[in-house]
Amino acid sequence: MKAELISVGTEILLGNIVNTNAAYLSKQCASLGINVYAQSVVGDNDKRLGTLFKDAMSRSDVVILTGGLGPTEDDLTKETVCECMDVPLVRDVKAEENMVNILKGLSYTPSHNNYKQALVPKDSIILYNHNGTAPGAIIEKNGFTAILLPGPPIEMTAMFEEYVIPYLRSKTNDVLYSYTIKECGIGESLLETMLLDIIDNQTNPTVATYAKTSCSEVRITAKADSFEKAQNLVKPIAEEVIKRLGDNVYSTDEKENIEDALVRLLRKNNLTISVAESCTGGLTCSKIVNVGGASEVFKYGFITYANEAKMKLLGVSKDTLEKYTAVSEKTAREMACGAIKESGADVAVSITGYAGPYDSEDEPKGLVFIGCTNGKDTFCRQFRFNGNRQKIRESASVMALNMARLMIIQYEMEN
């Protein structure tokens, strides 16, 4: 089955809201074994929507539309789709009662235009809305299906899960299962080289790599007539990928970030961490404390942007700063050692560099040194990150967290 998504709303085109509906629906369709042919966004204009919808009808089995089901004059999705499919609108008593009861519960008296939401496509499957006043609908005609859903995500997702998933599941025998492997430290181009034979020989499952900030993902997707069969197709490929990537794999949980993985490891080993930051200015500490349970493992955060702070709080030598500058391997090492000494943590990581926006021979933009220590062993790596100031700071924070993670893995191996 081939599907197409159309998001209706001028506010999306203007960038006033983020189109989370399309991302959600694409994932849901994939899990149901439905291929999404295209995604489109159109403003609240009946002629443009009509043209787009007719094009989608000509190439897809099902079109899912979100938005434009409200009571105002520019909410025209239902009317436009019904006109294109030559389906009349009829009054639905249950939808009208639902709308009236919701508005009365909010101490509103329904106005004339509210009642247009009780008009539904004739002979369609009505999707009654338990979270709002606009019902959705599934319209079937001549082998084609249009699914109309409200725009607000809380209404759309609830309606989709209650009505649309069972409907679509009954229309397809295929299941798509995806397994995500997250790595940090290899880089997308080298990652692809390491997995090239697997990628070149892919059929079912398919294997694809995706670049993230200083990390990458490998997504393995299989299609089968059952979830269990799809999982069994993915399993040997996933095991081989994980074997090749080794400790660079930090998670196979799609929702887990590098900071989640780090906190999980710290808690598992009953270890604590402190962070000393210069160019990242607290970003790394913020990532750690955003993770639930971080209070058990996070001790100190030193934001030592100025040289005076590096000397006073971390004990960085004045001679080091004068001879090697603040952005150097020597400084990064002394920052990490000072952080672990002053905080009493088990692991400490430090970051110092030039985040920009200016770039010069003396201060090369993107040059970053990251130090890491466990009190006995201290190591430092030099990086040259690309991008704007924010991206450089983000990349540096991610790599610092990963270096701390790798040090803890080493601890696990030794103990």
Side-chain angles (χ1 to χ4, degrees):
M1 182 184 292
K2 188 187 295 181
E4 194 154 337
L5 309 179
I6 298 178
S7 303
V8 183
T10 302
E11 66 277 11
I12 303 174
L13 284 177
L14 293 175
N16 294 332
I17 63 171
V18 177
N19 188 9
T20 58
N21 285 348
Y24 168 84
L25 291 171
S26 287
K27 286 184 177 181
Q28 292 296 325
C29 286
S31 68
L32 291 164
I34 299 170
N35 296 315
V36 176
Y37 180 90
Q39 295 180 12
S40 304
V41 178
V42 65
D44 300 304
N45 182 290
D46 57 342
K47 291 182 180 179
R48 293 174 194 162
L49 173 57
T51 300
L52 183 61
F53 180 70
K54 287 177 182 177
D55 288 342
M57 286 178 66
S58 69
R59 60 193 175 216
S60 300
D61 303 303
V62 56
V63 176
I64 304 174
L65 303 97
T66 57
L69 300 183
T72 63
E73 288 187 4
D74 61 356
D75 289 312
L76 296 167
T77 299
K78 179 172 55 184
E79 292 79 1
T80 303
V81 168
C82 286
E83 182 179 342
C84 291
M85 296 183 68
D86 194 24
V87 173
L89 288 166
V90 296
R91 176 173 172 261
D92 185 270
V93 175
K94 185 176 178 180
E96 185 173 301
E97 289 177 349
N98 179 66
M99 178 270 296
V100 170
N101 290 335
I102 287 177
L103 291 179
K104 284 185 175 179
L106 297 171
S107 299
Y108 292 131
T109 300
S111 59
H112 174 74
N113 57 0
N114 284 122
Y115 286 92
K116 106 181 177 87
Q117 291 182 297
L119 296 175
V120 300
K122 186 178 181 181
D123 299 326
S124 64
I125 301 170
I126 310 304
L127 315 180
Y128 295 104
N129 193 341
H130 307 304
N131 299 284
T133 57
I138 299 174
I139 312 170
E140 298 175 314
K141 189 172 182 179
N142 300 328
F144 170 79
T145 302
I147 301 176
L148 281 59
L149 300 170
I154 190 171
E155 298 179 32
M156 187 277 296
T157 54
M159 189 178 290
F160 188 87
E161 289 167 11
E162 180 180 357
Y163 299 104
V164 183
I165 287 178
Y167 172 82
L168 292 175
R169 192 169 281 150
S170 70
K171 301 294 181 180
T172 178
N173 295 320
D174 291 331
V175 171
L176 279 182
Y177 170 69
S178 289
Y179 188 79
T180 301
I181 299 168
K182 296 187 172 186
E183 72 79 26
C184 192
I186 295 178
E188 187 185 20
S189 57
L190 178 57
L191 175 66
E192 186 180 68
T193 301
M194 293 173 70
L195 304 177
L196 194 58
D197 59 315
I198 297 175
I199 295 171
D200 285 345
N201 294 318
Q202 64 180 316
T203 51
N204 184 28
T206 59
V207 181
T209 60
Y210 302 90
K212 305 292 181 179
T213 302
S214 294
C215 297
S216 300
E217 294 182 2
V218 182
R219 189 165 302 155
I220 307 166
T221 304
K223 178 182 283 190
D225 58 11
S226 74
F227 187 78
E228 184 179 6
K229 287 181 181 178
Q231 279 187 313
N232 289 336
L233 287 170
V234 165
K235 186 178 179 181
I237 304 297
E239 289 175 348
E240 178 61 23
V241 170
I242 291 171
K243 179 182 175 182
R244 294 189 188 188
L245 302 186
D247 289 340
N248 292 290
V249 175
Y250 69 86
S251 184
T252 57
D253 183 340
E254 193 170 345
K255 296 181 180 179
E256 193 171 62
N257 296 316
I258 189 73
E259 56 265 32
D260 298 297
L262 173 60
V263 170
R264 171 169 50 79
L265 271 179
L266 287 164
R267 295 178 69 186
K268 175 186 174 184
N269 292 283
N270 195 29
L271 298 174
T272 57
I273 189 171
S274 290
V275 180
E277 301 185 67
S278 183
C279 64
T280 47
L283 180 61
T284 313
C285 293
S286 177
K287 286 181 177 294
I288 294 173
V289 299
N290 274 339
V291 181
S295 59
E296 300 174 25
V297 299
F298 183 64
K299 293 203 77 172
Y300 280 39
F302 301 90
I303 303 175
T304 55
Y305 207 70
N307 285 352
E308 291 81 358
K310 292 178 179 68
M311 291 186 288
K312 182 177 180 180
L313 299 178
L314 300 173
V316 176
S317 164
K318 182 178 181 181
D319 290 341
T320 295
L321 293 168
E322 290 178 349
K323 184 176 181 180
Y324 299 100
T325 78
V327 181
S328 64
E329 178 180 343
K330 191 89 165 62
T331 298
R333 284 176 173 271
E334 290 187 18
M335 288 173 66
C337 290
I340 203 168
K341 179 182 177 181
E342 294 298 326
S343 67
D346 298 298
V347 177
V349 65
S350 64
I351 309 167
T352 181
Y354 300 116
Y358 306 110
D359 188 15
S360 68
E361 187 175 339
D362 293 334
E363 297 184 1
K365 178 182 175 183
L367 176 65
V368 175
F369 291 90
I370 300 176
C372 194
T373 185
N374 59 11
K376 294 188 303 179
D377 301 316
T378 303
F379 62 93
C380 183
R381 285 187 62 187
Q382 175 182 325
F383 298 89
R384 189 66 187 267
F385 298 118
N386 296 316
N388 60 22
R389 182 178 178 85
Q390 181 57 31
K391 186 180 178 185
I392 290 169
R393 294 175 64 244
E394 178 73 19
S395 298
S397 291
V398 168
M399 291 309 303
L401 294 168
N402 190 53
M403 285 175 63
R405 182 186 68 87
L406 292 172
M407 178 163 274
I408 297 165
I409 290 174
Q410 185 63 36
Y411 169 88
E412 287 183 315
M413 293 172 63
E414 294 173 353
N415 293 273

